[in-house]
Amino acid sequence: MTVSEACERSERVVEAYRHCERVVRAEARNFGYGIRLMPVPKRRAMSAVYAFARGVDDIGDGPEPACVRLDLLDRSRGRLASVRDVLEGRADAAVLEGQPVLTALADAAARYPIPLEAFDELIDGCESDVRGADYETFDDLLRYCRQVAGTVGRLSLEIFGSQGRLRAEALADSLGIALQLTNILRDLREDRLAGRIYVPTEDLKRFDCTLDLDDSGMFVDPPWRLNQLVAFQAERARTWYAEGLRLLPLLDRRSAACTAAMAGIYRRLLESIAARPAAALNTRASLPTWQKAVVAARALTGVER
């Protein structure tokens, strides 16, 4: 490779990371606050991981017919395979030209031991979504949470670095589950309008709820039963946060701050939903920007733990 070719390749990589960071700024309303606290190299790598994961998630939630989305998810596996080919020397980096997310991901995976196979689990989870998977028990839902959120936690951990790898992986997985359980509560009505229910059937039966909607798109279950259902799910999520946040002492200061910021924002979101379940069931709950900024600042100083 000539000097000019090396410079051109370097410029492509830098621009690829910039593209991923723009994706984070535009799409990661909560995740982005934590990423900003990382040193530049790790922030770029995290952005690449997020951008690819976001692309997969968007396919799963897209408006296209199921057969089209399944095909697109399969193509995502193919794109991931092309990244592996480049990293393992079976293909030149030129095959990724014009694909900034893959270019950035390949560079990040060359710098950090990112387990690219974890993305296959994420794609598995999105395929379950597209096929309309049902969750009879919490164990069924737990498997899905590990696929779509726990994997991102394990991917991030390899960029962070940690003490006690096996222990850290288990705790990162638990924290990912807590975040996904919060997402499920936040998006309860939105998902139902899209024909999806993530609350386990056994829990619906426990509180005699159906999550059926009337013609105006509102839940028909009695409010007091829905409140009990939300309270039960929120308490379950709190348990997973308590376990997952034990990861923080195993991380360096900046990685712990990043994790604490993301978890802190989602925990406040969870408590907001638990405090006002009726409002959360009618609209998509969110935190004001100033509150997210406060959580991030507290995380950086070590107060948010």
Side-chain angles (χ1 to χ4, degrees), residues 9 12 18 64 83 110 126 135 144 151 183 187 196 205 227 229 246 256 267-269 274 279 295:
R9 180 175 174 179
R12 284 203 306 269
R18 287 174 181 159
E64 298 84 3
V83 172
C126 288
Y135 305 99
Y144 168 76
T151 53
N183 276 336
D187 299 336
R196 296 192 295 263
K205 291 178 179 177
N227 290 352
L229 177 67
R246 294 166 68 183
R267 285 173 74 193
R268 279 163 176 73
L269 181 60
V295 173

Side-chain angles (χ1 to χ4, degrees), residues 102-147:
L102 299 187
T103 297
L105 185 60
D107 187 78
R111 296 171 185 271
Y112 301 97
I114 298 173
L116 295 178
E117 63 276 6
F119 284 116
D120 286 310
E121 295 181 56
L122 174 62
I123 295 172
D124 288 341
C126 288
E127 286 180 342
S128 296
D129 271 344
V130 174
R131 292 192 171 98
D134 294 321
Y135 305 99
E136 180 65 31
T137 67
F138 180 64
D139 283 344
D140 295 332
L141 180 63
L142 201 56
R143 191 175 305 110
Y144 168 76
C145 290
R146 287 197 165 104
Q147 288 176 325

Side-chain angles (χ1 to χ4, degrees), residues 20-248:
C20 293
E21 290 179 318
R22 286 194 292 270
V23 171
V24 170
R25 286 195 297 271
E27 305 292 344
R29 297 171 189 155
N30 296 325
F31 195 66
Y33 281 88
I35 290 180
R36 294 174 196 172
L37 305 181
M38 299 293 291
V40 172
K42 291 187 176 183
R43 185 176 71 228
R44 288 176 172 171
M46 288 285 288
S47 297
V49 166
Y50 175 86
F52 186 85
R54 178 71 191 208
V56 171
D57 190 60
D58 284 347
I59 292 171
D61 290 338
E64 298 84 3
C67 59
V68 174
R69 283 180 285 156
L70 289 172
D71 180 64
L72 291 172
L73 288 170
D74 192 54
R75 293 184 188 185
S76 292
R77 292 189 195 275
R79 288 192 286 271
L80 196 59
S82 68
V83 172
R84 292 194 187 99
D85 287 343
V86 169
L87 291 171
E88 294 170 13
R90 293 190 296 271
D92 188 86
V95 302
L96 306 180
E97 191 170 347
Q99 303 180 83
V101 173
L102 299 187
T103 297
L105 185 60
D107 187 78
R111 296 171 185 271
Y112 301 97
I114 298 173
L116 295 178
E117 63 276 6
F119 284 116
D120 286 310
E121 295 181 56
L122 174 62
I123 295 172
D124 288 341
C126 288
E127 286 180 342
S128 296
D129 271 344
V130 174
R131 292 192 171 98
D134 294 321
Y135 305 99
E136 180 65 31
T137 67
F138 180 64
D139 283 344
D140 295 332
L141 180 63
L142 201 56
R143 191 175 305 110
Y144 168 76
C145 290
R146 287 197 165 104
Q147 288 176 325
V148 300
T151 53
V152 176
R154 294 193 295 275
L155 285 160
S156 301
L157 190 63
E158 295 300 340
I159 297 172
F160 292 159
S162 66
Q163 303 173 33
R165 179 173 177 175
L166 291 179
R167 177 62 174 156
E169 284 181 355
L171 294 174
D173 192 64
S174 295
L175 189 54
I177 291 167
L179 299 179
Q180 188 62 26
L181 292 176
T182 303
N183 276 336
I184 288 170
L185 279 179
R186 180 194 62 186
D187 299 336
L188 200 60
R189 181 168 175 269
E190 183 178 313
D191 286 333
R192 190 64 188 89
L193 287 167
R196 296 192 295 263
I197 297 178
Y198 294 101
V199 177
T201 302
E202 64 181 7
D203 294 344
L204 295 177
K205 291 178 179 177
R206 180 197 299 258
F207 296 100
D208 197 17
C209 289
T210 64
L211 295 186
D212 287 341
L213 303 175
D214 60 23
D215 291 339
S216 64
M218 306 303 290
F219 290 108
V220 300
D221 295 307
W224 64 273
R225 288 181 187 166
L226 287 171
N227 290 352
Q228 289 181 329
L229 177 67
V230 169
F232 179 81
Q233 303 300 324
E235 186 57 35
R236 174 180 277 158
R238 290 188 188 104
T239 300
W240 286 96
Y241 276 115
E243 174 69 9
L245 286 170
R246 294 166 68 183
L247 170 66
L248 297 182

